Amino acid sequence: MIESMIQFILAGLTSGAIYALVGLGFSIIYNASHVINFAQGEFIVIGGMSTVALLAAGVPLPLAIVLATLVTMLVGLALARFAIQPAKDADVVALIIITIGASIFLRGVVQLVFGKDIHSLPAFSGETPLNLMGATLMPQSLWVMGISSALIVVIAWFFNATLAGKAMLATAYNALAARLMGVDTKWVLLSAFALSALLGAVGGIVVTPITFVSYESGIMLGLKGFSAAVLGGLGNGVGAVAGGLILGIVEAMSAGYLSSAYKDAIAFIIILVVLVVRPNGLFGKKGIDRV
Amino acid sequence: MTSMLPSALRLPPALHRHRGLIILAALIAVLPLALRNDYHYDVVINAGLNAIVVVGLNLLIGYAGQISLGHAAFFGLGAYVSAILTTTYGWPALGAMATGIVVVGIVAYVIARPILRLKGHYLAMATLGIGVIISIVLNTEAQVTGGPDGMSAAPFTVLGYTFASEQSWYWLVGGALLLTVWLSTNLIDSPIGRALRALHGAEIGARVVGIDTTRYKVLIFVISAMFASFAGSLFAHHTPTVTPSILGFIKSVEFVVMAVFGGMASVMGSVVGAFIMTLLPNVLAAFEDFEPIILGGIMMGTMIFMPKGLVPTIAKKLRRKEAP
Amino acid sequence: MSLLKVTNLTKSFGGVSAIRDLSFTIEAGTIHSIIGPNGAGKTTLFNLITGVYTPSSGSVRFNDREVGGVEPHKLAELGMNRTFQNLQIFHNMSAVENVMVGAHLHLRKGLLHSMLRLPSLARSERETREQCWELMDFVGLAQYRHTEASAMSYGALKRLEIARALAAKPKLLLLDEPAAGLNDTETREVDEVIKRIAAQGITVVLVEHDMKMVMGISDHILVLDYGAKLAEGTPAEIRSNPDVIAAYLGTVG
């Protein structure tokens, strides 16, 4: 009883960690530009696929990981520079279409460059399961949770303790005031995309040994990340991380105890209930219409 | 636009309001001259069915300013109700279609009341979630829906006449599209339509002059869902098999893209958007692997260079040329 | 019986009181002004009376009915309407359609009726358009009959909001700074419009900075300072009130 519960929680935390990273990426971009980047899931795919390709080309794994992350960040920068910046004044729906277009575009590129096959990476430290209070745990899950936690701590430090991070937060709060104080908001937009690309790429790389990667896997991961960000309250980094973990655990529990076919449906029902009760997410602030 | 034309050229109001409808009817009448085979007909029929959904969706997105990323679910629900009732239960096609529209209307109403209090991205998330949930249910309940393999609807028979040939379907869908456009155009230019546009333009301004904005958001959500169900029922009878892929997130996104690409708050824009975006993948099929790249590129390019969509942007250009 | 009776009204945002324990009444058929320095809480008061904000405590009675926290669209049905300091214009419509939205309460709104555009609807639409054109003439917008709202000047839009509010046939009309941002000629025109509205028996309440205008047209003035009542009375009384002179008028000159 207890063992299976621990088993589900561990599985939930593993996928939840990835949702948290993607959700955090959504939040960072949303803060910088009020854009919901539906191409967020593609960062995961590009990170994972590039690592696979580089490894196959004989590059050692650590170097392949660094290079793949850089490639993904370049893609993120290009997306911000060539698709988002030129459409700065477009309304919400137009921006949604642009980022959905970008995700289709990137998916096409991935398919062209890496093909339609499903790929995997070797686990970083072997495939021998660990035993944890009767539940089994793949060592790669520890990598996923560890790397995600480390990244989240670094991001928190970046926003709270560095000048660049504070400038980005100030822009999120009031872009005009930030501009008047000398913050280059164009730079903020580019950094936000680079940063979320980094989160996506690293998440994609560490999770590929468990979930595999194909040109299509970004769609559902992107949706889950969006859900995590909305669940926590858009633009709230802590909320996105919490939302991701909650989502992962709820999914694993529903798959284990209720029905694996309905696990995604149950996750979405919970999100709907949360939104109906708290229209701005779990940790979002209530807005007042100003007239 | 009217004010720029010399008064002698100004059409009577009823004709002016429906000038798009008249042009559309003329196009539908002559288009068969260009259709060579059943495949051509099939593509155009699907474009027409998509156009019905998109015209309805644009009432919600373009006119009332509320997004839905789950409209394919209503299209699919209508299709499944028709398929299930006509094959499993032997109902007549029109009865099944009407039932589908009513069922979808009720489902949309129940959903709309709580979620339309949400705004912007939160509403996008909620509608997306509803779409995913409905699609998972239909995918999983295989004994009723056939699961991932899907199911077929009985032939579409009305008063003893069975629509079998692609030509007969062409005229049926053409008529259905004209009806949809006519109803929608009338609605937009009525007190209800003004209330919808007002709540989009300035929600608080609309409320203080006496518009119960929640009520109108719910109303238009339900109506647009019913249009989708109508098209879905027709689709079910026309397609060989109804599968869950017709109601997934991707399909919902396609509908939104058609509406936005053709032009927000433009009925004719929706028709143009639906036709181009339905035809495009068939044209691009020649480029095979480059298809998604071109499609994604077109989506981004349109929104960057003409964020108001195709038809309104072109109409504005034409008007500027007309004016001195 | 007074048309509007505000008793012990308080509104706080996160611990800061924007309106504090405010009481006053407004009699039917007169022009009232609410004045006070920036940040005195005038617009907040308007938002409380018109249901945009919900009071923290206290009561707002309109026509002898408690309306504190009642939704704006229901207040419109009861006969209250307003304009905005920051315009709430429907920029996606033509000028006359903006005014026609104001008439919404008085129109038939059946769904089938609208979708089929039955002859009765077509007729009622024609009549409404005519009436709304007349309202546009009334506020001095005759030349904008065929104009899109997005193509109109700021001053014209201010008057368009007044026409829209009038189309709802209100008993009480609240105008939030109707002359702000207007030049002298435009201000005089708005001044005339307000007098003509009052002459039709509609009670007008306005928030305004233009002292000349306020003193010239008001029957009664309420002075707010830091969300509380500083003074009230006729223009003559306000002009000679030492508290008001000290707090506010002294700075106007």
Side-chain angles (χ1 to χ4, degrees):
Chain A
M1 232 359 251
I2 271 290
E3 287 84 16
S4 60
M5 176 128 161
I6 293 173
Q7 188 73 61
F8 297 147
I9 291 180
L10 288 174
L13 285 176
T14 308
S15 45
I18 298 301
Y19 300 160
L21 287 186
V22 184
L24 195 54
F26 269 105
S27 270
I28 291 171
I29 289 181
Y30 179 78
N31 269 344
S33 59
H34 283 244
V35 171
I36 288 293
N37 176 30
F38 279 98
Q40 193 73 17
E42 307 323 311
F43 292 155
I44 294 189
V45 175
I46 294 170
M49 281 287 197
S50 317
T51 315
V52 170
L54 287 164
L55 205 61
V59 181
L61 184 66
L63 185 60
I65 290 176
V66 173
L67 289 177
T69 307
L70 288 176
V71 166
T72 315
M73 288 172 78
L74 277 178
V75 171
L77 284 173
L79 179 60
R81 176 65 193 84
F82 298 113
I84 306 297
Q85 269 184 2
K88 218 34 206 144
D89 301 321
D91 68 5
V92 174
V93 186
L95 285 169
I96 289 180
I97 304 292
I98 288 176
T99 61
I100 291 176
S103 77
I104 295 175
F105 181 88
L106 291 176
R107 210 174 298 146
V109 173
V110 168
Q111 182 197 321
L112 203 65
V113 176
F114 303 107
K116 289 188 177 187
D117 298 333
I118 297 174
H119 295 280
S120 185
L121 282 173
F124 296 178
S125 42
E127 311 259 355
T128 323
L130 308 169
N131 192 307
L132 196 82
M133 290 188 285
T136 54
L137 181 68
M138 297 307 284
Q140 190 64 28
S141 290
L142 283 179
W143 276 103
V144 171
M145 290 184 241
I147 298 270
S148 307
S149 315
L151 264 182
I152 289 164
V153 169
V154 170
I155 294 281
W157 169 81
F158 173 75
F159 278 111
N160 289 310
T162 68
L163 195 61
K166 284 181 178 169
M168 288 174 75
L169 278 184
T171 308
Y173 189 71
N174 187 333
L176 181 64
R179 238 187 334 266
L180 291 175
M181 295 305 291
V183 175
D184 180 353
T185 49
K186 268 187 200 149
W187 171 87
V188 167
L189 180 79
L190 291 173
S191 320
F193 272 82
L195 211 53
S196 358
L198 176 130
L199 289 174
V202 174
I205 294 165
V206 290
V207 85
T208 295
I210 302 178
T211 60
F212 309 138
V213 62
S214 83
Y215 75 105
E216 281 186 320
S217 41
I219 304 173
M220 210 49 184
L221 278 170
L223 285 188
K224 293 288 171 58
F226 178 41
S227 310
V230 170
L231 192 60
L234 270 179
N236 183 327
V238 178
V241 172
L245 294 177
I246 293 172
L247 194 63
I249 291 174
V250 164
E251 258 181 30
M253 293 279 185
S254 349
Y257 289 115
L258 298 165
S259 138
S260 61
Y262 278 118
K263 75 174 173 116
D264 288 335
I266 292 164
F268 279 112
I269 288 172
I270 287 173
I271 291 167
L272 285 175
V273 171
V274 168
L275 286 184
V276 167
V277 180
R278 291 190 58 93
N280 294 300
L282 286 173
F283 305 98
K285 288 199 189 74
K286 191 178 177 295
I288 289 181
D289 288 326
R290 296 191 79 98
V291 287
Chain B
M1 183 154 185
T2 28
S3 57
M4 306 242 176
L5 294 171
S7 57
L9 284 179
R10 208 177 285 161
L11 296 164
L15 283 181
H16 182 75
R17 179 179 309 108
H18 291 301
R19 63 197 184 286
L21 185 76
I22 296 162
I23 295 169
L24 181 62
L27 285 176
I28 290 175
V30 299
L31 187 61
L33 297 175
L35 302 177
R36 299 278 150 74
N37 52 38
D38 276 2
Y39 169 70
H40 287 171
Y41 272 101
D42 186 62
V43 171
V44 172
I45 289 165
N46 281 326
L49 292 171
N50 285 337
I52 294 173
V53 180
V54 176
V55 168
L57 184 61
N58 209 345
L59 293 175
L60 180 74
I61 299 183
Y63 289 97
Q66 310 297 309
I67 187 136
S68 168
L69 288 180
H71 247 56
F74 301 124
F75 176 79
L77 216 48
Y80 270 100
V81 170
S82 273
I84 293 166
L85 289 181
T86 56
T87 42
T88 317
Y89 297 97
W91 282 38
L94 280 185
M97 176 191 276
T99 309
I101 293 173
V102 171
V103 167
V104 166
I106 293 169
V107 170
Y109 179 78
V110 171
I111 293 167
R113 286 227 64 104
I115 70 166
L116 283 168
R117 292 189 306 135
L118 303 172
K119 289 184 169 37
H121 299 301
Y122 292 95
L123 182 62
M125 176 74 238
T127 51
L128 183 163
I130 301 273
V132 172
I133 292 168
I134 293 179
S135 125
I136 291 173
V137 171
L138 290 173
N139 221 329
T140 312
E141 298 304 318
Q143 55 297 26
V144 187
T145 62
D149 297 335
M151 67 184 302
S152 314
F156 194 68
T157 305
V158 180
L159 301 171
Y161 176 79
T162 302
F163 289 83
S165 69
E166 290 292 320
Q167 278 85 351
S168 65
W169 270 97
Y170 175 85
W171 297 112
L172 176 67
V173 171
L177 177 58
L178 288 175
L179 178 70
T180 306
V181 168
W182 182 68
L183 293 174
S184 302
T185 313
N186 282 341
L187 185 68
I188 291 155
D189 197 7
S190 77
I192 295 178
R194 278 196 301 273
L196 295 174
R197 287 179 284 155
L199 73 88
H200 185 192
E203 182 156 355
I204 292 188
R207 288 169 67 199
V208 299
V209 291
I211 290 166
D212 183 350
T213 48
T214 314
R215 194 178 147 247
Y216 282 99
K217 286 182 198 173
V218 171
L219 177 80
I220 202 60
F221 188 78
V222 170
I223 291 175
S224 69
M226 288 164 102
F227 275 129
S229 173
F230 173 54
S233 286
L234 288 174
F235 174 83
H237 290 285
H238 179 248
T239 194
T241 38
V242 179
T243 62
S245 69
I246 62 161
L247 48 89
F249 171 64
I250 302 292
K251 186 79 183 170
S252 288
V253 168
E254 281 176 14
F255 286 140
V256 175
V257 169
M258 289 172 188
V260 178
F261 175 79
M264 305 256 279
S266 161
V267 173
M268 291 322 290
S270 299
V271 177
V272 171
F275 271 82
I276 292 180
M277 297 307 283
T278 312
L279 265 49
L280 201 58
N282 291 285
V283 177
L284 294 183
F287 298 91
E288 288 181 50
D289 286 348
F290 287 92
E291 186 199 322
I293 297 181
I294 298 173
L295 186 66
I298 289 175
M299 284 167 66
M300 290 191 281
T302 316
M303 285 301 102
I304 293 170
F305 298 113
M306 37 183 179
K308 296 228 176 304
L310 200 60
V311 169
T313 307
I314 292 173
K316 201 174 170 191
K317 286 245 165 71
L318 289 178
R319 235 173 301 162
R320 214 173 271 154
K321 253 183 214 156
E322 238 171 62
Chain C
M1 185 195 77
S2 44
L3 185 64
L4 187 77
K5 186 171 170 62
V6 172
T7 319
N8 305 118
L9 188 66
T10 299
K11 176 70 183 179
S12 34
F13 295 104
V16 182
S17 299
I19 292 291
R20 286 179 299 151
D21 203 28
L22 182 66
S23 302
F24 65 94
T25 59
I26 281 174
E27 302 302 325
T30 43
I31 299 178
H32 301 256
S33 291
I34 299 171
I35 61 173
N38 277 329
K42 303 177 300 280
T43 295
T44 306
L45 177 59
F46 258 36
N47 285 340
L48 285 168
I49 296 173
T50 55
V52 176
Y53 294 163
T54 305
S56 301
S57 67
S59 117
V60 180
R61 294 187 78 81
F62 176 59
N63 246 343
D64 217 23
R65 203 184 134 162
E66 178 59 44
V67 294
V70 168
E71 289 182 85
H73 70 265
K74 295 204 173 111
L75 293 173
E77 283 171 30
L78 295 172
M80 189 194 290
N81 225 303
R82 70 171 288 185
T83 64
F84 294 84
Q85 183 189 342
N86 305 321
L87 296 171
Q88 286 277 318
I89 286 289
F90 314 127
H91 286 287
N92 49 345
M93 296 191 201
S94 69
V96 69
E97 280 178 323
N98 266 269
V99 185
M100 288 169 85
V101 172
H104 186 79
L105 281 173
H106 307 289
L107 300 177
R108 266 189 71 180
K109 295 169 284 277
L111 182 60
L112 281 179
H113 199 72
S114 305
M115 287 185 114
L116 302 175
R117 200 170 177 91
L118 298 179
S120 62
L121 183 107
R123 195 176 331 113
S124 130
E125 286 285 282
R126 251 193 325 273
E127 288 164 8
T128 309
R129 188 174 292 263
E130 287 295 333
Q131 286 160 7
C132 291
W133 272 333
E134 280 166 27
L135 280 173
M136 287 174 68
D137 298 350
F138 178 80
V139 298
L141 295 178
Q143 75 271 38
Y144 295 104
R145 279 185 167 209
H146 298 283
T147 310
E148 292 295 316
S150 54
M152 290 166 71
S153 69
Y154 181 77
L157 290 176
K158 288 231 131 184
R159 277 177 283 170
L160 188 64
E161 272 204 345
I162 298 178
R164 181 178 77 191
L166 288 175
K169 300 181 185 149
K171 295 189 190 76
L172 177 66
L173 176 59
L174 298 103
L175 305 174
D176 196 351
E177 303 206 12
L182 303 189
N183 62 33
D184 281 353
T185 326
E186 288 172 325
T187 304
R188 269 196 303 281
E189 283 170 10
V190 166
D191 188 300
E192 282 307 310
V193 169
I194 294 172
K195 281 183 194 155
R196 271 184 280 154
I197 293 169
Q200 294 189 338
I202 297 171
T203 308
V204 178
V205 179
L206 63 146
V207 160
E208 190 44 75
H209 275 299
D210 189 319
M211 272 308 135
K212 216 167 82 194
M213 176 171 168
V214 168
M215 291 299 171
I217 65 174
S218 310
D219 297 302
H220 185 270
I221 295 174
L222 169 71
V223 189
L224 287 186
D225 198 17
Y226 296 107
K229 178 159 70 181
L230 187 68
E232 65 176 321
T234 62
E237 286 164 354
I238 296 300
R239 207 174 281 143
S240 58
N241 184 310
D243 290 342
V244 177
I245 293 168
Y248 183 53
L249 289 185
T251 62
V252 172

